Each structure stands twice: as structure tokens, then as C-alpha cells.
């Protein structure tokens, strides 16, 4: 029998999961709601729109919380109170102290709960982890993480302008967090050694970061970050792990390549649409396992907290 799933939040990411849940045999999308009436109306043909968030929680076996991070705690607490499984969008929150309390609450509840880091199940990520930890790269020397966004927020974020503000938005929280999660799974716990972040309207302004550099350390070597936004040229999302024998990288989100001293070679194919679809299918398969009480690779709330601590330390670096 399919798991009854509800969605709170029908913005950019929530909309994507309306489609994904409707395509997946393990889920029956039974309820959805957004505080914006126009967002609810836009999805009325593909989901049962409820009167409020509590009605979503009451109808579902598992609730996907796809609202901005400032509101995650509220809806997670409602799910815990109702005894409903939780699938929360990342980042877990913006206040580390509150998030630590929330993780303690979720863990003590015993409920099935996870956070939507796409690299918890994407084939590119799981294969990279196998290569790094299996010794195929040789001794790990160091890793490079490069991010660039020609515009931020990106075009498909037109209805999520909170992403341009530093109180809860920015590409460090929204994108870098995915790669820090993956790096921790592949390389082990990360520590922020030093960092510098620039904000276009100064340290007391409202706009999110425009560039960031940082160095992290791990049990498998250092990771050097260089991230920027603004300026022409294609977007870049590239995590490269360099060993003594080979290097492996994830770029364009889902493409996995390796190389020695020659050209990069695709390991899982090069069709971006197919690789993206495979990543979503794998994530929902892991989510179904989580709800069923089976072993799963879905990111835990504790892992999400670890990433949040790194992100907020970076954003508040002196």
C-alpha cells in the first residue's frame, strides 16, 4: 500500500515534489497546502488542497515540509505532536541553538524523520562516496569545491525572493549546504579552519553573500571553497576529490566523472535530465524505506544540524 504523503509549502521545491510524488508508486499525495492562495490554486489539479497545515498533517503518514527555513521548526513540532513521519527541506534552520533543540525533540520522539539533501541518494553521490572510501583514488590529497551563480536567486526562484536576503537565504545555505553534506559523508566530519565572506551591502545590510572563500579540514584531507555570484558565464557547481592515483568530481549537480592525468570521463552517463530523474527516484525510494521503518540513506536531522553548524559558522566568520 502506498504511503499517504502531504506537502506543506508549494513554492519552487514543493512544486517539484508534487510532480515527483505523483509519479512514484510508493506514495499517494493526499494533501497539500501553502499560505499563498495563488500557490494552492496553481496546484489544485494535481493535489488535494487543504484548508491549512494542520489538515495536511492530519491526512498524511509522512509530511514533506517545503517552506523557508525560518518556519521549519513550527511545522516539525506539529508533526511530532501528531506522531507523523517527517521529511523536512534543508537547511534545517537558521538559528543553531533552536535547531539543536529541534533535533533532540525529533530524536526523542522516535518518529521516522529525515532531511532533503539530494546527495543522500543521488547515484552520482553514492558512487563518489564508494570511490573515495574504497581506495580507488589512492590516498586522498585534498578536495576543491567551486560554486558560481551568474544570478542569485536563479531564474526559477522568481517566487522565492527571500533567497536574496541574508536572514534566511543565500546560496551558501541553499546550495553549499548540499555539498558540505556530501563532503561529510565522503570524507568524514568537517571543521571550518578559516573563512571570508563578502556581502554586497556591507556587514550590517540585508542582502545575502556575493562571494566566499573557506578552508575545511576532514579525516581525509582539506577542502578549499571558492564561491561567487554575479557576472557572466555559466553557473558552476563542482566538487572534486583528488587522490594520489585518480580524481573524481561531481559537477552540474548529477554528473560524475573521473580522471588520472588525462581528460575527464563520465562514469554514469552524461544526459543531465536522465541523471536528475534518477536522483529524484532514488531519493523517494529511500524516503519510502524510511517511512516503512527499513534501513535508509536519507539524511538524518543530526546530519542536517552538523551541516547547519558549518554553514552558520561560515556566514558569521570574522
Amino acid at each position: 500500500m502506498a504511503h499517504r504523503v502531504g506537502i506543506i509549502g508549494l513554492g519552487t521545491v514543493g512544486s517539484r515534489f508534487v510532480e515527483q510524488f505523483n509519479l512514484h508508486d510508493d506514495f499517494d499525495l493526499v494533501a497539500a497546502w501553502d499560505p499563498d492562495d495563488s500557490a494552492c490554486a496553481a496546484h489544485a489539479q494535481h493535489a488535494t488542497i487543504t484548508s491549512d497545515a494542520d489538515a495536511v498533517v492530519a491526512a498524511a503518514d509522512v509530511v514533506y515540509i517545503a517552506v523557508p527555513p525560518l518556519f521549519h521548526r513550527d511545522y516539525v513540532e506539529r508533526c511530532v505532536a501528531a506522531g507523523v513521519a517527517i521529511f523536512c527541506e534543508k537547511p534545517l534552520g537558521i538559528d543553531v541553538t533552536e535547531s539543536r533543540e529541534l533535533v533532540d525533540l525529533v530524536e526523542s520522539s522516535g518518529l521516522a524523520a529525515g532531511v532533503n539533501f539530494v546527495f543522500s541518494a543521488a547515484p552520482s553521490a553514492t558512487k563518489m562516496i564508494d570511490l573515495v572510501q574504497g581506495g580507488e583514488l589512492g590516498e586522498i590529497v585534498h578536495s576543491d569545491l567551486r560554486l558560481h551563480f551568474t544570478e542569485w536567486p536563479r531564474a526559477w526562484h522568481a517566487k522565492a525572493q527571500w533567497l536574496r536576503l541574508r536572514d534566511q537565504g543565500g546560496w551558501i545555505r541553499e546550495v553549499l549546504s548540499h555539498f558540505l553534506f556530501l563532503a561529510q559523508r565522503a570524507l568524514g566530519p568537517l571543521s571550518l579552519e578559516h573563512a571570508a565572506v563578502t556581502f554586497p551591502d556591507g556587514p550590517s545590510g540585508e542582502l545575502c553573500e556575493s562571494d566566499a572563500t573557506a578552508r575545511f579540514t576532514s579525516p581525509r584531507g582539506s577542502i578549499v571553497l571558492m564561491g561567487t555570484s554575479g557576472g557572466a558565464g555559466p553557473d558552476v557547481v563542482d566538487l572534486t576529490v583528488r587522490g594520489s592515483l585518480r580524481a573524481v568530481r561531481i559537477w552540474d549537480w548529477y554528473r560524475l566523472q573521473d580522471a588520472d592525468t588525462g581528460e575527464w570521463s563520465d562514469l554514469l552517463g552524461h544526459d543531465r535530465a536522465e541523471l536528475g530523474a534518477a536522483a529524484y527516484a532514488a531519493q523517494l525510494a529511500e524516503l519510502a524505506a524510511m517511512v516503512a521503518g527499513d534501513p535508509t540513506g536519507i539524511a538524518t536531522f543530526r546530519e542536517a544540524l552538523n551541516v547547519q553548524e558549518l554553514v552558520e559558522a561560515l556566514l558569521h566568520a570574522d
Side-chain angles (χ1 to χ4, degrees), residues 78-91:
R78 297 190 201 195
C79 290
V80 169
V84 173
I86 306 158
F87 186 45
C88 186
E89 194 48 54
K90 62 95 202 80

Side-chain angles (χ1 to χ4, degrees), residues 164-168 173 198-209 315-316:
R164 63 190 287 271
L165 304 177
R166 77 178 68 170
D167 63 338
Q168 58 178 324
R173 290 191 181 107
T198 301
F199 297 95
D201 56 350
S204 302
E206 297 182 348
L207 297 178
C208 73
E209 64 278 355
L315 285 170
H316 296 92

Side-chain angles (χ1 to χ4, degrees), residues 77-264:
E77 289 177 340
R78 297 190 201 195
C79 290
V80 169
V84 173
I86 306 158
F87 186 45
C88 186
E89 194 48 54
K90 62 95 202 80
L92 189 59
I94 57 173
D95 183 294
V96 171
T97 299
E98 284 194 358
S99 291
R100 288 171 182 159
E101 295 170 352
L102 190 63
V103 170
D104 289 341
L105 173 67
V106 169
E107 290 181 343
S108 65
S109 75
L111 292 169
V115 179
N116 185 31
F117 284 102
V118 68
F119 289 137
S120 64
S124 58
T126 56
K127 180 64 174 177
M128 171 183 265
I129 293 169
D130 288 344
L131 291 172
V132 170
Q133 298 183 354
E136 286 87 344
L137 307 183
E139 181 180 354
I140 303 302
V141 179
H142 57 77
S143 302
D144 314 322
L145 178 51
R146 297 185 302 131
L147 303 174
H148 173 72
F149 305 99
T150 299
E151 59 176 335
W152 186 269
R154 290 163 291 182
W156 59 89
H157 289 140
K159 295 183 178 180
Q161 288 302 302
W162 59 271
L163 285 169
R164 63 190 287 271
L165 304 177
R166 77 178 68 170
D167 63 338
Q168 58 178 324
W171 47 265
I172 287 178
R173 290 191 181 107
E174 185 69 12
V175 180
L176 176 62
S177 60
H178 281 292
F179 288 89
L180 294 179
F181 167 81
L182 172 56
Q184 291 212 127
R185 282 215 169 168
L187 303 171
L190 301 184
S191 296
L192 178 63
E193 188 172 272
H194 57 74
V197 180
T198 301
F199 297 95
D201 56 350
S204 302
E206 297 182 348
L207 297 178
C208 73
E209 64 278 355
S210 57
D211 64 73
T213 57
R215 186 178 190 272
F216 301 89
T217 57
S218 83
R220 290 184 171 90
S222 63
I223 304 174
V224 175
L225 162 70
M226 184 180 73
T228 55
S229 58
D235 285 1
V236 177
V237 284
D238 183 339
L239 172 62
T240 302
V241 180
R242 301 183 186 276
S244 57
L245 301 177
R246 301 189 69 79
V248 63
R249 72 171 183 170
I250 286 179
W251 71 285
D252 195 21
W253 285 98
Y254 305 117
R255 296 182 68 176
L256 182 69
Q257 297 183 321
D258 76 337
D260 46 23
T261 57
E263 298 294 324
W264 291 103

